Amino acid sequence: MKFKRFFSAALSAVMAVSATNINFASETDNLTEYFFSEETASGGAVSLASEAEEETETEYSFGSGGVTFAPGTYDIGVSLKNASNIENDSMAASCIVSGEMTVAEDGTAKIKVELTSVSMGSITGWASDWLIYQGTVASGDTVAAEETTDSEGNVTAIEFDLPDRSFDGVYVSLYVGVVSMTTNAYLAFDYGSTENSGSGETSAITYTGTATVANFGYEITVYVTVEDGIITALTIDGDGGNETSQAKLEAAAESLSEKLIGLSASDAYAIYSVDGVTSATYSSDAIIEAVMSALSLAIPDDDEEEEGGGSEAVTVSDGSYTADISILKSDSDET
């Protein structure tokens, strides 16, 4: 049975019920989703509403990572890479200053990139004649970018329509004045570093992460919504494969969602330290791992040891010694 539960920090409620009187839908109610407010974590009211009844603003998915944006204008990370090997910088990489993306109501997007001069040793020049390839390779159809120039004719910004929302970047052709040649490059976008620039109606951004539930082998996907740096909603999607595993996943999802909503999206230690459900440790660990992945957070150094690791003083006939021990999870924790 397919599981999808949506936990939201909604400001308005369709129905208020107490934390001890939540009636969950049967397995056949596949279209029902539950919305948990931030008040849940502190023992306040829990709000329930069906997905069809909840009025939400349209969001659009961008890039291979599936980062979602509502209509608005956002600052995004931009870098110029070598067209032949996009892991390496382009020789004109130093011309990039900043990037901005404007998402329209219909989901189309326009990219604006602020530029400066290109420096190679003691020689300085400017990049110009920018063309945007419309496909996924540095060949084929191109569209000229709109160029902004300064009083000396130097191109200080380019603007163009994003050919496809699934692209993580676009291939471009440009003339590099410092070496007097036209070359190809790859303009890479970092949607994960996006911040709202203030001209949009919302700053809510949804990030996607995945993880595999240990010992069970099935994958879960989480969608973490962040607004003003705070986790405001969490959707967990996964299929446990059988009734018992599914129940444990649901229990872990409900508990962790209440604890994660309201935390800072950049506080790796707080997120990683959230207590899971004792009877569903593998599901709990997978959810935390997926959330950390979605938010591009690394496991804090202090917590890279095995769970439960520590030291305990033991006494033998020859004296007192300290031995390191590791407390491992037993198979009975989650079956």
Side-chain angles (χ1 to χ4, degrees):
M1 57 181 171
K2 192 70 176 175
F3 164 63
K4 187 177 182 183
R5 189 180 301 276
F6 186 78
F7 302 86
S8 172
L11 297 179
S12 60
V14 175
M15 182 186 303
V17 297
S18 69
T20 57
N21 291 314
I22 304 174
N23 294 319
F24 293 94
S26 68
E27 296 176 8
T28 57
D29 295 333
N30 294 328
L31 297 180
T32 302
E33 295 183 341
Y34 297 93
F35 299 83
F36 290 77
S37 69
E38 291 186 47
E39 296 178 2
T40 304
S42 60
V46 178
S47 301
L48 300 181
S50 71
E51 184 175 15
E53 294 171 337
E54 183 74 7
E55 295 183 2
T56 57
E57 186 176 25
T58 301
E59 293 187 337
Y60 300 96
S61 176
F62 285 80
S64 59
V67 181
T68 60
F69 299 92
T73 299
Y74 304 85
D75 296 327
I76 65 171
V78 177
S79 57
L80 196 63
K81 299 296 184 179
N82 187 297
S84 299
N85 183 355
I86 62 174
E87 296 299 319
N88 297 329
D89 286 340
S90 164
M91 64 177 178
S94 60
C95 75
I96 303 298
V97 176
S98 62
E100 183 179 87
M101 180 174 72
T102 299
V103 181
E105 293 292 339
D106 62 0
T108 58
K110 185 177 286 291
I111 304 294
K112 182 177 182 180
V113 182
E114 299 288 342
L115 304 171
T116 188
S117 60
V118 179
S119 297
M120 293 185 180
S122 60
I123 306 174
T124 299
W126 291 77
S128 61
D129 300 330
W130 291 74
L131 300 176
I132 311 302
Y133 289 103
Q134 299 300 289
T136 57
V137 294
S139 63
D141 295 338
T142 60
V143 174
E146 301 174 22
E147 298 183 345
T148 301
T149 59
D150 61 17
S151 59
E152 298 179 354
N154 300 313
V155 178
T156 58
I158 58 171
E159 193 168 358
F160 57 90
D161 293 325
L162 182 64
D164 192 300
R165 291 202 307 269
S166 67
F167 288 1
D168 290 321
V170 293
Y171 285 93
V172 299
S173 170
L174 64 155
Y175 177 78
V176 184
V178 70
V179 290
S180 301
M181 66 176 290
T182 297
T183 187
N184 290 327
Y186 181 74
L187 196 60
F189 308 138
D190 183 1
Y191 297 114
S193 67
T194 306
E195 297 181 0
N196 186 269
S197 67
S199 57
E201 295 180 359
T202 178
S203 60
I205 302 173
T206 301
Y207 302 95
T208 304
T210 60
T212 299
V213 180
N215 282 20
F216 292 84
Y218 66 90
E219 187 175 271
I220 64 169
T221 302
V222 301
Y223 304 91
V224 187
T225 300
V226 177
E227 187 166 0
D228 296 329
I230 301 299
I231 298 174
T232 58
L234 181 64
T235 304
I236 301 165
D237 190 2
D239 186 353
N242 60 65
E243 186 174 350
T244 300
S245 295
Q246 193 66 25
K248 291 180 180 297
L249 178 59
E250 293 188 20
E254 179 184 345
S255 176
L256 289 176
S257 294
E258 295 176 359
K259 297 173 182 177
L260 289 167
I261 290 173
L263 295 182
S264 168
S266 62
D267 192 339
Y269 183 82
I271 293 172
Y272 189 72
S273 300
V274 168
D275 291 330
V277 176
T278 303
S279 61
T281 53
Y282 296 119
S283 296
S284 299
D285 288 350
I287 291 172
I288 293 297
E289 180 184 342
V291 170
M292 298 282 286
S293 173
L295 298 175
S296 299
L297 298 176
I299 296 175
D301 292 339
D302 292 341
D303 292 300
E304 290 183 339
E305 302 174 3
E306 290 187 64
E307 181 175 343
S311 62
E312 179 177 306
V314 295
T315 302
V316 296
S317 58
D318 291 335
S320 179
Y321 299 88
T322 298
D324 290 333
I325 63 171
S326 293
I327 302 172
L328 302 178
K329 302 171 187 172
S330 68
D331 292 337
S332 61
D333 284 342
E334 179 167 326
T335 58

